[in-house]
Amino acid sequence: MATNLAVRVMPETVRSVDFTQISGTYIGIGSAFENPVHWFMVQNLSDQAIMISWDGVNDHFPLAANGYVIMDVASNKTLTAGSFMIAQGTRFYVKELVTPLGSGSVYLSIFCGFNG
């Protein structure tokens, strides 16, 4: 009998922030991650550019209006052959970049590895 050594990808529930909640001060995009994250997607479905932060203090990357970013963190490995991941308990944050948002939302989708 063969053993299944595969790791499946499993999403956590999508997180979002409505444009009315986004200002010039960072606000969390939903809750902290329940699991280590292997890849994520941020969709800025608002009408203005935004800034994303991994710690709620420092600016990490801007995202254009109606833009998105997908990052496959697990495609890289550490020197000890383990995979990169974003730590469980991490939370992403968003703030307006220059102009107040007039419509839309920001969505964060994350995907984790599940053994089985």
Side-chain angles (χ1 to χ4, degrees):
M1 174 191 242
T3 302
N4 183 358
L5 298 177
V7 176
R8 295 184 293 159
V9 65
M10 297 293 293
E12 288 189 8
T13 302
V14 69
R15 293 153 167 83
S16 66
V17 178
D18 183 77
F19 80 97
T20 59
Q21 300 171 297
I22 300 172
S23 68
T25 304
Y26 278 114
I27 183 172
I29 306 174
S31 60
F33 303 160
E34 297 172 21
N35 300 284
V37 174
H38 292 280
W39 66 274
F40 71 88
M41 175 173 55
V42 180
Q43 295 172 286
N44 178 17
L45 302 182
S46 76
D47 62 344
Q48 299 294 328
I50 58 170
M51 181 63 70
I52 300 293
S53 173
W54 288 33
D55 61 15
V57 177
N58 297 294
D59 297 346
H60 289 112
F61 61 90
L63 195 52
N66 293 306
Y68 67 93
V69 63
I70 299 172
M71 186 178 291
D72 181 355
V73 180
S75 65
N76 298 299
K77 294 189 175 205
T78 65
L79 294 177
T80 57
S83 66
F84 279 155
M85 64 187 74
I86 302 169
Q88 177 180 359
T90 300
R91 188 176 185 196
F92 281 10
Y93 300 82
V94 61
K95 72 177 182 180
E96 64 191 29
L97 191 57
V98 177
T99 308
L101 282 63
S103 65
S105 295
V106 175
Y107 296 91
L108 172 62
S109 300
I110 63 170
F111 299 86
C112 313
F114 178 77
N115 191 8

